Amino acid sequence: MELANLFIKSVFIDNMIFAYFLGMCSYLAVSKKVTTAFGLGMAVIFVLGFTIPINWLVQNYFLNEGAMAWISPKFATVDLSFLSFIVFISVIAAFTQLTEMAVEKLSPSLYNSLGIFLPLIAVNCSILGGALFMLQRPYNFVEATTFGFGSGLGWLLAIVALAAVREKLKYSNVPAPLKGLGITFIIVGLMSFGFLSFMGFSL
Amino acid sequence: MSTETLTVQKTAEKKEGLFSKKNRKLLTDPLDNNNPVTVQVLGICSSLAVTVQMKPAFFMCLGLMFVTACSNLFISMLRNTIPSRIRIIVQLAVVSLFVILVDELLKAYAFEVSKRLSVFVGLIITNCIVMGRLEAYAMANKPWPSFLDGIGNGIGYSAILLTLAFVRELLGSGSLWGYKIFESAGIPFIGNGVLMMPAGACLLIGVLIWAQRARNGYTEAD
């Protein structure tokens, strides 16, 4: 039950886009068509869902103060937590690169729909942001995994919703200087107000 | 020794002035025509999240300018030795080195601000402005122009961030730089809650882009 609550919380209440505005660059750039938006969203779920548990393990078995005591008691006082940024981003970049290569070899059809987005994702703020939030909150391993998949699903929902709105937007009469980027920002703002209504739930 | 360095500097200036017309353009262009936030659409996340008050926004700008300029300089010096297949990892490693520096400095000298900015200092690593400028400029240009390009884009980012923070803090909580303007002038003021939320910043950026494009006469073919 706890886990289900955490999942719902990370999908709706702590939505990566509408509550924290993370991953906005690719969110705005790739939300012109629903199909491509869906592809990118799936890639985000995949990468978030796997890199957050990996980073959790790295943080708790290597970087925290005294975390390396399992190797040898000599390391019990070593504190490497100042390295977490560089380690997290290396894990994320390496993971996306490896997945891209693996998908390219194993399933060309999946690669065509998903693989092209993977390099983009290494620099998506929501992935590193998720890892840093995991660092700030006292999650255990299972909770961290749930949080990763939940946040990814929230991101997918957000980008597909925006892409659907933008597809319809082509037929509306927007003032010329507001076209494109300007109106997209305003729509994101309004959608975010909608998501604010989830704030009232206490899970 | 000192005369020697002086002559070296002079010859360098003769080749191309440190602040020649082209180099000055690198500094001023990102302010308006090629602004990183409103035109290139880079670095949106942080500009929405840290602009509730001016003080954290200001420190964020300093941090970003430092990281962009330094990593542009370093990547530009290394640009001929980086294999293109692994360039993203190399770039990220250099960038995160500078971000760690900024983070540790903030924690040491401005702990309050560092708490307010929370994850967003770390997120400078994936701030698209840094990566975008590395890919688009530093990988193909000499170190000094790349450094200026980094500073210029930092200034352009700061201009937008400080404008947003000014409006949001003034109308949202009735203060500037933490100083209660309306209360000390004796005017009753009720804060506008919408502007305190990131969603309000989103609307504000939309309006800002609208105003800028209306002035520059630019429209998007969509």
Side-chain angles (χ1 to χ4, degrees), chain A residues 175-194:
Chain A
L178 191 61
K179 248 184 199 159
L181 197 57
I183 191 72
T184 311
F185 266 108
I186 292 177
I187 288 170
V188 174
L190 294 176
M191 281 163 79
S192 168
F193 282 134

Side-chain angles (χ1 to χ4, degrees), chain B residues 16-200:
Chain B
E16 199 195 336
L18 278 185
F19 289 99
S20 63
K21 205 170 181 189
K22 208 176 99 212
N23 284 346
R24 253 179 316 181
K25 203 166 154 51
L26 285 176
L27 280 177
T28 53
D29 224 25
L31 257 183
D32 185 17
N33 288 332
N34 199 15
N35 190 288
V37 180
T38 56
V39 180
Q40 302 174 48
V41 210
L42 301 173
I44 307 292
C45 321
S46 54
S47 52
L48 293 169
V50 301
T51 52
V52 178
Q53 283 176 334
M54 286 193 79
K55 203 172 162 193
F58 179 73
F59 277 94
M60 183 73 189
C61 295
L62 284 186
L64 184 109
M65 206 189 295
F66 172 77
V67 173
T68 320
C70 291
S71 47
N72 258 5
L73 181 70
F74 270 73
I75 290 292
S76 165
M77 286 197 283
L78 293 172
R79 69 184 188 281
N80 294 324
T81 56
I82 302 175
S84 72
R85 262 196 90 83
I86 58 159
R87 66 177 193 286
I88 294 202
I89 295 191
V90 175
Q91 289 166 358
L92 285 175
V94 171
V95 173
S96 46
L97 170 78
F98 289 110
V99 172
I100 290 176
L101 274 181
V102 169
D103 188 44
E104 297 287 320
L105 277 176
L106 275 182
K107 270 184 196 156
Y109 294 106
F111 190 69
E112 279 290 296
V113 176
S114 153
K115 269 268 162 295
R116 289 297 301 267
L117 292 175
S118 72
V119 297
F120 288 96
V121 182
L123 286 178
I124 295 180
I125 299 174
T126 50
N127 192 310
C128 323
I129 294 182
V130 182
M131 291 300 288
R133 291 327 291 173
L134 286 180
E135 279 283 296
Y137 200 88
M139 288 299 281
N141 285 285
K142 291 205 176 104
W144 174 246
S146 309
F147 181 73
L148 286 183
D149 182 75
I151 297 269
N153 277 285
I155 295 174
Y157 174 78
S158 314
I160 298 293
L161 238 73
L162 292 177
T163 315
L164 286 177
F166 178 81
V167 176
R168 286 181 74 186
E169 194 178 355
L170 185 67
L171 300 181
S173 53
S175 58
L176 282 178
W177 204 271
Y179 177 74
K180 297 265 176 206
I181 287 194
F182 288 101
E183 272 178 29
S184 57
I187 306 165
F189 180 78
I190 301 168
N192 186 338
V194 172
L195 282 173
M196 300 295 283
M197 293 183 293

